[in-house]
Amino acid sequence: MTVSTPLLGVIVLIYLMIIFYLGLLGYKKTKQIDDYMVAGRTIHPYILALSYGATFISTSAIVGFGGAAGALGMGLLWLAVMNIIVGIFIAFVIFGKRTRSIGARLNAVTFPELLGKRFQSRFIQGFSGALIGVFMPLYAGIVLIGGARFLETTLGVNYDIAVLILTIIVAAYVITGGLIAVMYTDALQGAFMFIGMIILLALTYVKLGGVTAAHEALTGMSNLVPESLAAGGHLGWTAMPAFGTPIWWTLVSTLVLGVGIGVLAQPQLAVRFMTVENDKALNRAVFVGGPFILMMTGVAFTVGALSNVYFQKTQGLIAVAAAKGNTDLIMPEYINGAMPELFVVLLMLTLLAAAMSTLSSQFHTMGTAIGHDFYREFIKKGDIGNTVNITRLGIAVTILVSVILAYILPISIIARATAIFFGLCAAAFLPMYIGALFWKRMTKEGAIASLLVGTVSSLFWLTFVHAKEAVPLGISKAIFGMDTLLTGTWTVVDPILVATPIAMIVAVVVSFATKPPSEEHLELCYRK
């Protein structure tokens, strides 16, 4: 179905006017570099929670992971559990408080700067900024894909044009208004997302005959699992895949653990902890962030799996077949086919909000990583003043790269690309981030070693061992004449389970083998 209603234009126009008003408000409040980078460190806890959640949960979660649930089933709900426990409670209460306090003491305005100043290393700040600038466009590209795919199926807009529309709207307020504009618009978009997902869940159960009937019907479809999926361990859409099978490893190691753990080291999320005044604000934010993430992920994964029931009833097909093999189209096809036309418009705004909130944060983070962390601190050694204009230029460059990737990336890429980026961040940043916050004995040398080893080992595993990436890339085949250097189960084990432990071990060993930081510096970082 393609929506065509006079009401659509009015709703979208009002929505965009509000977004641009909030962007203008952010622009007017941006007076100095702290305002542009960390929103002046005075953001309200509820705005923090909604902005964090809206940044975390993008179209990659709703469209990409919802589509993955349509293919793999409700076992993906374990990721929702991880998102709440790790991504909200542990992130805010344990990591967030230390990040806020140390960031304020060191006057850090970005995630790489926090790490660089804690370990007194321009290299750490510059290399981290470069890593974000090079690899985050992959994540931004797939968020663009998710939003554009829904515009394509809902409005009948050409996919290429849809990508440009999304990009131009988001770029306008991110480049001008900085993080204040980003967080204000995120909060509004988060509210849209919350309402939209509640209605989506309710209408789905109504459409499928109620909660019990819907889940019983999905359970009864286990005999319809395609032979190719069954051979990989798929046991039905309400059961976990068979333990140890390729699909089990993909679900558990790549999707659940890759994203569930990787969230702790996401630069665009960690910087948000530095935008509030005190620890009390972080505690209050948990009570908004927890229910928000539960509703976003829980609904997306549940509806994605239940779409199989709808497609079977209406087309005699399972969800993957109805989407012609492209899991990124399962949620858009389901919503456009099953939902009332007016609600499709609301859902379009919900998914636009999800895409725009995440994209705005990604663009801001990539710009600050290139302009502030890499260029100012690493290249120029801090010998230049205000970097806002350079940051804006960095944002423009990374936007261009993200758009190019949105055009060239293959189908069914959203969930996998998200997991790749989250896993890379976990391996590269998480060991030294943990050390920066909680282990005074961790040294600059230990942090640098873990950063380099985590990055290289994660990329090596992706390129030469993990079959999902190694086979399409073909680098291993070209060099060694083998699709992957290892065989068997190793080819389905996600890099996060290999690279992150190796980086942590290296961080500990090298730190104990090198001179500890000075007491004066530790006092500056950790004093009460």
Side-chain angles (χ1 to χ4, degrees):
M1 176 188 72
T2 299
V3 175
S4 92
T5 168
L7 187 60
L8 172 61
V10 176
I11 293 174
V12 172
L13 181 61
I14 293 172
Y15 172 71
L16 292 179
M17 288 174 63
I18 295 171
I19 291 296
F20 282 119
Y21 170 75
L22 292 174
L24 179 63
L25 198 62
Y27 173 75
K28 288 182 176 179
K29 289 191 175 186
T30 300
K31 305 296 184 184
Q32 53 191 355
I33 193 167
D34 268 19
D35 298 329
Y36 196 85
M37 299 292 195
V38 288
R41 302 186 196 272
T42 57
I43 285 293
H44 191 281
Y46 295 161
I47 292 179
L48 165 67
L50 287 173
S51 174
Y52 180 98
T55 299
F56 183 12
I57 304 301
S58 66
T59 48
S60 67
I62 299 172
V63 175
F65 282 80
L72 302 179
M74 289 193 174
L76 205 60
L77 284 170
W78 283 110
L79 176 55
V81 174
M82 287 286 289
N83 286 340
I84 295 167
I85 295 174
V86 178
I88 296 295
F89 183 77
I90 292 177
F92 277 71
V93 176
I94 300 176
F95 280 70
K97 291 179 179 179
R98 282 292 184 101
T99 301
R100 186 204 64 76
S101 61
I102 295 174
R105 291 185 194 112
L106 298 178
N107 196 31
V109 296
T110 69
F111 178 65
E113 186 168 48
L114 172 74
L115 299 174
K117 286 189 172 182
R118 160 59 179 88
F119 294 111
Q120 298 175 291
S121 170
R122 290 191 189 277
F123 174 80
I124 287 177
Q125 184 173 351
F127 187 88
S128 299
L131 199 64
I132 293 166
V134 170
F135 288 99
M136 189 176 276
L138 171 67
Y139 186 22
I142 57 98
V143 173
L144 273 172
I145 291 172
R149 287 298 181 199
F150 193 77
L151 283 176
E152 179 187 34
T153 56
T154 304
L155 300 180
V157 176
N158 177 273
Y159 171 77
D160 295 341
I161 295 174
V163 168
L164 288 178
I165 290 172
L166 270 180
T167 304
I168 291 168
I169 292 171
V170 176
Y173 65 83
V174 177
I175 292 176
T176 56
L179 195 58
I180 295 177
V182 168
M183 294 188 75
Y184 282 177
T185 53
D186 282 356
L188 173 70
Q189 289 157 347
F192 268 119
M193 292 161 63
F194 191 83
I195 295 169
M197 296 305 274
I198 289 175
I199 298 173
L200 175 61
L201 183 65
L203 290 180
T204 294
Y205 281 129
V206 169
K207 190 78 176 181
L208 301 181
V211 176
T212 303
H215 287 266
E216 286 180 349
L218 186 61
T219 301
M221 289 178 60
S222 59
N223 64 311
L224 299 178
V225 173
E227 188 176 329
S228 58
L229 290 178
H234 201 308
L235 299 178
W237 289 274
T238 56
M240 283 292 289
F243 178 79
T245 58
I247 291 180
W248 185 90
W249 278 106
T250 296
L251 178 64
V252 174
S253 73
T254 299
L255 300 181
V256 175
L257 295 179
V259 177
I261 295 173
V263 63
L264 289 174
Q266 288 295 294
Q268 74 277 17
L269 298 180
V271 73
R272 273 158 173 68
F273 301 137
M274 295 190 275
T275 64
V276 292
E277 288 185 286
N278 50 46
D279 291 349
K280 184 179 179 182
L282 291 170
N283 289 335
R284 291 169 65 190
V286 170
F287 293 101
V288 175
F292 180 85
I293 295 297
L294 172 63
M295 187 56 60
M296 293 301 103
T297 57
V299 170
F301 304 161
T302 300
V303 170
L306 288 172
S307 69
N308 284 280
V309 178
Y310 168 78
F311 287 121
Q312 177 61 25
K313 286 183 175 180
T314 57
Q315 301 180 28
L317 300 170
I318 62 171
V320 174
K324 298 179 176 59
N326 186 354
T327 58
D328 296 341
L329 288 177
I330 289 176
M331 290 294 283
E333 291 287 350
Y334 168 72
I335 290 169
N336 280 286
M339 296 292 110
E341 182 174 335
L342 182 59
F343 180 64
V344 173
V345 176
L346 176 61
L347 247 295
M348 186 195 70
L349 291 183
T350 298
L351 290 178
L352 278 178
M356 291 168 64
S357 59
T358 301
L359 285 169
S360 62
S361 300
Q362 290 169 330
F363 293 157
H364 182 269
T365 300
M366 290 186 289
T368 58
I370 291 174
H372 184 79
D373 297 311
F374 182 72
Y375 182 77
R376 181 181 189 272
E377 293 298 327
F378 185 64
I379 300 297
K380 292 295 187 179
K381 309 299 181 186
D383 290 335
I384 58 175
N386 192 303
T387 56
V388 169
N389 288 333
I390 297 170
T391 295
R392 286 170 172 157
L393 179 61
I395 292 173
V397 171
T398 53
I399 285 173
L400 178 62
V401 176
S402 302
V403 169
I404 293 171
L405 287 171
Y407 288 145
I408 66 175
L409 286 171
I411 65 170
S412 300
I413 190 63
I414 294 178
R416 193 162 87 242
T418 303
I420 289 171
F421 182 74
F422 274 55
L424 176 62
C425 286
F429 300 138
L430 190 55
M432 70 172 171
Y433 185 31
I434 292 173
L437 300 184
F438 306 110
W439 190 32
K440 295 180 181 181
R441 183 62 180 79
M442 190 166 183
T443 64
K444 177 174 74 173
E445 294 80 7
I448 291 173
S450 74
L451 171 61
L452 294 177
V453 169
T455 301
V456 172
S457 56
S458 181
L459 294 176
F460 176 86
W461 200 265
L462 283 169
T463 305
F464 295 102
V465 180
H466 197 238
K468 284 282 189 180
E469 293 77 36
V471 173
L473 285 173
I475 297 174
S476 178
K477 183 75 171 179
I479 297 175
F480 301 106
M482 304 166 61
D483 285 334
T484 56
L485 293 184
L486 300 179
T487 58
T489 301
W490 288 113
T491 63
V492 291
V493 175
D494 194 78
I496 194 173
L497 297 184
V498 178
T500 308
I502 290 174
M504 286 185 172
I505 292 169
V506 167
V508 172
V509 171
V510 175
S511 291
F512 277 126
T514 51
K515 184 180 177 180
S518 68
E519 287 298 325
E520 293 80 7
H521 181 65
L522 293 177
E523 174 67 17
L524 173 64
C525 294
Y526 299 104
R527 70 175 183 265
K528 296 294 184 184

